[in-house]
Amino acid sequence: MHEIGVRETVQFAGLTFNWETLVMTWITMAIVLLIAFLASRNLKLVPTGTQNVVEMLIVWLREQVANNLGARGDFLSPLVITLFLFLVISNWLGLVPQMASPTNDLNTTLGLALLMVLIVHVLGLYMKGMHYVKHFFQPVPLFVVINAIEEVAKPITLSFRLFGNIMAGEILIIILLKLVPIWMPIPSVIWLAFSIFIGGVQAFIFTSLSLAYLANAVKEDEEE
Amino acid sequence: MIDINATLIAQMLNFLILVVLLRAVAYKPIVKMLKEREDNIANNLKQAEDDKAEAKKALEQYQAQLADARVQAQEIMDKAEKRARDEKAAKLQETNQEIAQMKEAAQQEIQREQARAVEKLKGDMVTLSLAAAQKIVSKNIDVAENEALISEFIDQLDKNKIGDLPC
């Protein structure tokens, strides 16, 4: 059991890395890839087993993408699907003994949030041009202040929400194990079950908020 | 607990790598397969629709053919009946003709027989008359005179009558 809040760091090329987070991220990536590989290894027109589950997930997320981004946003489906799968597996990985969630490190969540916001702005400029810049100054130019604050708030809220939820969950698991005697496992079990639920919900929230931000940049404006 | 360092950049890169890998390994084949399935279902539905239309057409054709065949059968039956009736009439007429012919032949035969009988009766009558006359007269006059007497008697007989008997 590791000390809460203390991170093992490694130095590489003059930069500091959180070693545990990196290893857990790679494990998560491996699991996601394994699932994807198992699901797509033997594709059939009439689906069975793993293919069914992954297919359902993909169809559902593509539907979300289509609803939020319109027909133009279909090329972003792999990004959104990967985001959701990565976050779900990350969140659940911390519930396995001896493991930690990559998402319990602010570096991960803030990194993902910044990446999303970056993609949003780049896509907005690329797909809408000056029109995208103009919408920060609407309805009156003074609104640029509020809009700027909003844009800064987006990645911060996105990352801290996920980080806080997962970190708190893992801390509480450790605390419950220390507080409650070993013959009384019910609180831990309940909290674990709840954490599984939280992990799924937080992954979905992060994904759908990212989608909403992306919609702002990609979707055609109906009124103009 | 909250220390931002180079891990942030590494995580971004990790995630982007995962996106690229997942897209290649799973997303593309699965989406392609989904599209294939969609096409397949659409094709099958269209095929079923076509088959249905075709079956309906075939059924209509069969029904039309059946009706046609029924009409033809009726025609053939009517024709056969007519022919039978004609044949029957022809046969009847032929038979009637034959009967008439036979009747005529029989009539002729009868007339012939009658004539022969009359001739024979005439001959017999001469002999009988001679005998009778000989016995009644008992006196033989002259053969020549006898002959003349008898011939006169016979000539007086009606052609169609022998004595008072109709013939």
Side-chain angles (χ1 to χ4, degrees):
Chain A
M1 212 170 291
H2 60 83
E3 293 289 316
I4 295 168
V6 177
R7 295 197 187 280
E8 217 183 310
T9 58
V10 291
Q11 302 288 326
F12 182 76
L15 297 168
T16 313
F17 294 96
N18 293 345
W19 184 243
E20 194 193 41
T21 306
L22 283 182
V23 171
M24 289 304 153
T25 305
W26 292 331
I27 292 174
T28 306
M29 285 167 72
I31 293 172
V32 171
L33 280 174
L34 186 71
I35 291 172
F37 176 71
L38 284 179
S40 60
R41 176 188 45 172
N42 192 11
L43 285 176
K44 291 191 211 86
L45 276 187
V46 181
T48 48
T50 331
Q51 191 190 340
N52 241 334
V53 177
V54 174
E55 226 185 84
M56 216 162 67
L57 201 71
I58 288 184
V59 168
W60 171 60
L61 282 170
R62 282 186 87 203
E63 211 171 280
Q64 298 284 322
V65 171
N67 285 342
N68 279 302
L69 306 187
R72 280 207 295 177
D74 195 48
F75 72 98
L76 286 168
S77 296
L79 181 80
V80 174
I81 291 165
T82 310
L83 185 64
F84 182 75
L85 276 174
F86 179 73
L87 287 178
V88 165
I89 302 296
S90 305
N91 295 348
W92 287 346
L93 192 66
L95 306 178
V96 181
Q98 303 304 319
M99 297 282 190
S101 291
T103 39
N104 79 359
D105 188 339
L106 188 60
N107 285 301
T108 310
T109 58
L110 189 60
L112 288 178
L114 284 175
L115 189 66
M116 285 301 149
V117 170
L118 193 70
I119 290 173
V120 166
H121 288 312
V122 168
L123 277 178
L125 283 175
Y126 177 70
M127 296 184 91
K128 293 190 179 172
M130 281 316 288
H131 197 71
Y132 182 72
V133 180
K134 215 175 77 186
H135 101 273
F136 288 114
F137 297 92
Q138 277 168 345
V140 287
L142 201 63
F143 264 67
V144 73
V145 181
I146 295 172
N147 281 327
I149 292 172
E150 193 198 338
E151 290 306 319
V152 174
K154 271 179 186 175
I156 293 175
T157 55
L158 208 54
S159 56
F160 273 84
R161 181 185 305 111
L162 181 58
F163 164 67
N165 269 286
I166 302 307
M167 191 67 185
E170 291 192 2
I171 288 173
L172 200 56
I173 285 175
I174 295 167
I175 289 173
L176 275 175
L177 284 175
K178 286 196 168 166
L179 280 182
V180 181
I182 199 70
W183 48 267
M184 186 58 198
I186 291 171
S188 296
V189 169
I190 290 173
W191 182 247
L192 264 178
F194 189 59
S195 290
I196 293 173
F197 173 67
I198 290 287
V201 166
Q202 287 304 323
F204 178 62
I205 288 173
F206 195 103
T207 311
S208 40
L209 280 175
S210 302
L211 261 178
Y213 299 154
L214 282 169
N216 204 15
V218 175
K219 203 175 187 180
E220 308 95 334
D221 302 306
E222 285 100 329
E223 66 270 13
E224 277 133 335
Chain B
M1 195 193 289
I2 301 174
D3 40 352
I4 303 294
N5 53 30
T7 318
L8 190 140
I9 309 294
Q11 293 296 67
M12 280 187 180
L13 287 178
N14 278 337
F15 180 71
L16 285 178
I17 291 167
L18 187 64
V19 170
V20 171
L21 285 179
L22 260 194
R23 192 175 133 86
V25 169
Y27 181 75
K28 275 194 167 176
I30 286 178
V31 167
K32 190 172 151 240
M33 194 272 310
L34 286 175
K35 182 91 184 60
E36 246 167 56
R37 181 188 301 158
E38 221 168 84
D39 290 351
N40 201 5
I41 290 171
N43 271 349
N44 283 354
L45 279 180
K46 196 178 167 297
Q47 188 74 46
E49 203 73 29
D50 288 356
D51 284 355
K52 214 168 117 188
E54 213 166 291
K56 204 178 159 202
K57 222 169 79 183
L59 183 68
E60 271 168 13
Q61 226 168 31
Y62 288 150
Q63 270 168 349
Q65 275 174 2
L66 200 67
D68 227 30
R70 215 172 272 151
V71 169
Q72 263 175 13
Q74 191 64 45
E75 253 171 43
I76 290 170
M77 249 156 69
D78 284 353
K79 230 183 264 175
E81 221 167 275
K82 190 169 174 289
R83 198 163 50 201
R85 228 182 298 125
D86 286 356
E87 236 164 75
K88 194 176 146 196
K91 270 266 167 60
L92 202 64
Q93 207 185 354
E94 209 177 297
T95 312
N96 276 346
Q97 233 164 19
E98 229 166 86
I99 289 171
Q101 259 173 11
M102 273 163 73
K103 219 167 158 183
E104 210 181 325
Q107 211 120 43
Q108 278 171 359
E109 183 77 28
I110 288 167
Q111 261 166 12
R112 253 199 319 275
E113 286 296 325
Q114 193 186 5
R116 204 181 299 148
V118 168
E119 286 302 319
K120 192 165 184 285
L121 259 180
K122 269 183 189 170
D124 285 354
M125 196 66 86
V126 173
T127 322
L128 267 176
S129 301
L130 264 180
Q134 259 176 359
K135 270 191 181 163
I136 293 167
V137 180
S138 62
K139 182 188 155 192
N140 209 348
I141 313 166
D142 186 54
V143 180
E145 208 171 339
N146 275 355
E147 291 272 333
L149 262 174
I150 287 162
S151 287
E152 192 190 26
F153 169 72
I154 287 170
D155 283 343
Q156 274 170 356
L157 286 173
D158 197 78
K159 188 179 179 213
N160 287 324
K161 259 177 151 180
I162 300 168
D164 284 336
L165 293 169
C167 153

